[in-house]
Amino acid sequence: MTLEESFFALYKPEQNRLYRTAWAILGNEADAGDALQEATIRAFRAFGQLKGGAAAFPAWMRRIVVNTCTQILRKRMRVIPVERPEDLQEEPMAPEIDIPLGSEVWEAVRSLDERYRAVVVLRFLNDMQLEDIATALDIPLGTVKSRLHAALKMLKSRLQTADGERRGAV
Amino acid sequence: MECEQVRHELEAYRQGELPPDVQTDVKAHLDSCSACAEEAVAMARTGDLLRQGLHDWVEAGEVPPELARQIEIQIRHAVRRRPWWQNWQVGVVAAAAVIFLVLVATQPDVAGHVATVPLLGSFAAQFVAPGLEYHVDAATPDRMAGNAKTYKLTATGTGGGVTLTVHRVDIDSDQTQIQYSLEGVPLDTAVVPTSYLPTLATAAGPVAFHGFKATKHGDVLEFTASFAAVKPDEPLTLSIAQFPQAVAETVTWAVPAAVSGRVEAAPDAYGAGLIAWVPQGSKVLATLQWPEGKLLHLTDFTAVDAEGKTHAVTETGAVVSKNGKVVQQLLIDLPGGRGPVTLTAHKSIQAAPGSVTVSFTPAGK
């Protein structure tokens, strides 16, 4: 098996998950695609140095994707949009009946402003410690805490209503 | 602890991420404040829903087939071909990292230049409007449209064992282009051409240099250099200076005052670039521009002069996105530097193959 084949054998089963992880962090599919490409090439170049074999691959690969995404976020937060009117519109929630819970949660999370969304995703999807989030996004720990608190308050009523309805329906 | 303060700490408290004394304080507060205790339960429930929901959503994902194909192609491509930047830049990780070098010469005039840098063929090829003779063997001006003129000539001069021959000069309203060759340059290393830099001067002083390309034919180096426009009949002096330290072969990019240079690989040439002549002890403002979506950010800048001395590069202000272009500005401080200064961006974030336009303007003392 060539290096390339060994890489793909480990990478392919993770790819879907990695893509959505990048999407969740960055908030849109286009950036997620770019980040995944960049992260995959980075990973491939460093693949020879991976210690711990196949078992270590998923976490290692995921870390590279998350790092690539937070790097992009950090820089993006420094870019001041001068003209981006369309970005500011929130997508209305479609009243679907059979949306799985995951989609509902994601719809709620994606409607958050980027500053809040990033913190929520890094915390609850990537299980990062608050201090690590502060480092990754290059913001003070206090800011992480206040953003997280504000985001949870925003999400609370929305999610618990949906949750309550589902429980009532069962 | 105040209620508001406690509420900000709830998530950290739940996972035991607070320092022990704060953890104890929050617990004591929750034991005595029912409102905060209720809030803590609600937040924990919300956190659990988020965790579960986001994980479910990620598990249900599918990468678009086109993206998967693209990634596969890139990996296979990476196997077959080492990209050019890997040949000289160690530690660059981004897939299509844009790394560029900019030469900024810090000598204000040719006279100072002659005095401080070993020159080859200094004033060796002097060619002026037809009718005057220096080392010009033949000059055939062809009048072209408007003020544009082409001179075909053979003007030679030697210095330091190197013969400089000028073959052709094209002058139009946008630029002055000069074709010349160097013979006798030691060709033992590939980086040689970029250490021989041309200066074009009129009686008023140096003309802004836009860039040059070099190709090797046997032991002769052939150059095409571009400068700012001059008056068609103005006397011109071309000097070639040898800088003590050559710069990297593939990407030598230099930008003169108020002129933009496109940064891209020049695989069939030794290099191309633009040079700004700025007074010693001054500052230069570099403006980098690239299309939105191609490249998010360039970072880790260094400016090193020919003597290996590092000069300060400051990223000024925010990176601004406007009209589809992202603009970033750098201030390079050149306190008494000498020779070409190499500005390098060592890292780029999420770059797609493309180009960065760099323009330089003097920023005063």
Side-chain angles (χ1 to χ4, degrees):
Chain A
M1 214 188 239
T2 63
L3 187 71
E4 187 185 341
E5 284 163 347
S6 325
F7 179 80
F8 276 121
L10 295 170
Y11 169 76
K12 285 255 171 83
E14 301 299 320
Q15 188 169 239
N16 292 338
R17 249 174 252 133
L18 294 169
Y19 173 65
R20 281 231 165 154
T21 300
W23 181 0
I25 297 173
L26 294 170
N28 68 73
E29 290 170 89
D31 285 350
D34 289 347
L36 184 61
Q37 284 192 43
E38 186 187 326
T40 309
I41 288 168
R42 273 187 195 192
F44 179 68
R45 294 223 164 101
F47 186 50
Q49 297 144 34
L50 169 64
K51 294 186 177 70
F57 184 85
W60 176 78
M61 184 68 223
R62 183 187 167 87
R63 208 162 44 239
I64 294 175
V65 170
V66 172
N67 283 347
T68 305
C69 292
T70 53
Q71 224 171 11
I72 290 171
L73 270 188
R74 254 197 325 266
K75 301 304 176 188
R76 192 202 275 170
M77 283 170 178
R78 292 184 49 199
V79 175
I80 299 168
V82 178
E83 290 163 22
R84 296 172 59 184
E86 73 286 3
D87 288 5
L88 303 173
Q89 287 171 13
E90 214 173 275
E91 281 189 23
M93 282 272 283
E96 298 276 342
I97 298 161
D98 57 351
I99 305 175
L101 177 66
S103 294
E104 258 170 43
V105 169
W106 169 240
E107 287 303 329
V109 170
R110 81 184 289 187
S111 71
L112 294 174
D113 179 274
E114 172 152 301
R115 289 168 302 162
Y116 298 107
R117 192 201 63 245
V119 173
V120 165
V121 169
L122 292 178
R123 176 66 173 186
F124 296 107
L125 177 61
N126 295 295
D127 296 316
M128 282 168 72
Q129 295 233 335
L130 299 183
E131 276 191 33
D132 295 338
I133 296 174
T135 308
L137 298 179
D138 199 17
I139 53 177
L141 178 60
T143 307
V144 174
K145 286 179 180 173
S146 58
R147 283 186 192 174
L148 195 58
H149 180 64
L152 284 172
K153 267 168 89 169
M154 284 185 257
L155 291 167
K156 183 176 77 173
S157 57
R158 196 157 170 178
L159 292 179
Q160 291 189 349
T161 308
D163 186 45
E165 280 168 8
R166 184 171 296 94
R167 284 166 182 231
V170 169
Chain B
M1 277 179 109
E2 299 290 322
C3 290
E4 192 54 28
Q5 203 185 343
V6 167
R7 290 181 182 199
H8 278 233
E9 302 291 359
L10 287 176
E11 178 58 27
Y13 168 76
R14 185 155 84 106
Q15 302 295 338
E17 288 172 44
L18 293 171
D21 52 330
V22 185
Q23 197 84 17
T24 311
D25 287 351
V26 172
K27 186 177 185 315
H29 182 96
L30 293 178
D31 287 345
S32 64
C33 174
S34 60
C36 283
E38 267 176 41
E39 177 83 357
V41 171
M43 289 299 166
R45 175 77 191 132
T46 306
D48 289 342
L49 284 172
L50 279 170
R51 186 168 280 114
Q52 185 60 48
L54 285 171
H55 278 94
D56 287 351
W57 181 76
V58 162
E59 288 300 323
E62 207 169 302
V63 70
E66 179 54 28
L67 176 63
R69 204 178 61 86
Q70 193 79 32
I71 289 173
E72 210 163 316
I73 290 170
Q74 286 194 354
I75 296 290
R76 299 202 194 288
H77 192 66
V79 175
R80 283 186 202 105
R81 184 175 149 266
R82 272 170 71 84
W84 55 265
W85 63 81
Q86 279 199 345
N87 294 331
W88 58 277
Q89 182 65 44
V90 178
V92 173
V93 286
V98 175
I99 291 152
F100 62 91
L101 303 173
V102 177
L103 288 182
V104 181
T106 56
Q107 293 296 331
D109 54 49
V110 175
H113 188 176
V114 173
T116 55
V117 184
L119 265 187
L120 293 172
S122 165
F123 299 98
Q126 300 189 34
F127 47 94
V128 293
L132 292 175
E133 284 182 12
Y134 282 84
H135 301 282
V136 181
D137 295 335
T140 319
D142 300 326
R143 193 159 284 280
M144 293 160 71
N147 280 333
K149 267 191 179 177
T150 295
Y151 298 99
K152 289 177 190 158
L153 66 160
T154 308
T156 60
T158 56
V162 174
T163 302
L164 164 68
T165 307
V166 179
H167 306 284
R168 184 185 163 108
V169 181
D170 290 290
I171 301 169
D172 63 28
S173 54
D174 294 331
Q175 64 168 351
T176 306
Q177 210 169 52
I178 301 180
Q179 284 177 21
Y180 63 94
S181 56
L182 292 179
E183 220 171 323
V185 168
L187 291 175
D188 50 345
T189 66
V191 296
V192 161
T194 54
S195 60
Y196 292 87
L197 298 174
T199 307
L200 185 70
T202 65
V207 181
F209 178 45
H210 292 187
F212 75 142
K213 267 190 174 180
T215 48
K216 198 171 94 170
H217 295 280
D219 59 351
V220 178
L221 288 173
E222 296 192 350
F223 294 84
T224 303
S226 302
F227 300 87
V230 296
K231 290 179 199 133
D233 296 321
E234 209 165 5
L236 296 171
T237 304
L238 180 71
S239 312
I240 305 298
Q242 184 188 20
F243 284 90
Q245 184 182 309
V247 291
E249 173 195 343
T250 329
V251 274
T252 301
W253 306 101
V255 181
V259 177
S260 292
R262 193 155 283 278
V263 178
E264 55 198 10
D268 59 350
Y270 280 101
L274 302 160
I275 289 180
W277 295 95
V278 297
Q280 283 191 23
S282 67
K283 291 177 180 178
V284 176
L285 187 69
T287 305
L288 286 63
Q289 290 190 57
W290 59 89
E292 214 169 37
K294 283 282 185 192
L295 175 83
L296 284 171
H297 199 71
L298 289 169
T299 179
D300 288 5
F301 291 95
T302 57
V304 180
D305 69 19
E307 291 160 349
K309 211 164 92 187
T310 303
H311 300 272
V313 180
T314 318
E315 295 188 41
T316 60
V319 181
V320 173
S321 167
K322 191 175 184 181
N323 298 331
K325 289 250 180 200
V326 181
V327 181
Q328 181 180 13
Q329 287 197 315
L330 308 171
L331 195 63
I332 308 166
D333 203 352
L334 302 168
R338 177 178 295 175
V341 174
T342 306
L343 173 70
T344 310
H346 292 279
K347 229 188 227 172
S348 75
I349 309 299
Q350 197 233 345
S355 59
V356 176
T357 306
V358 191
S359 58
F360 281 75
T361 40
K365 299 275 175 187

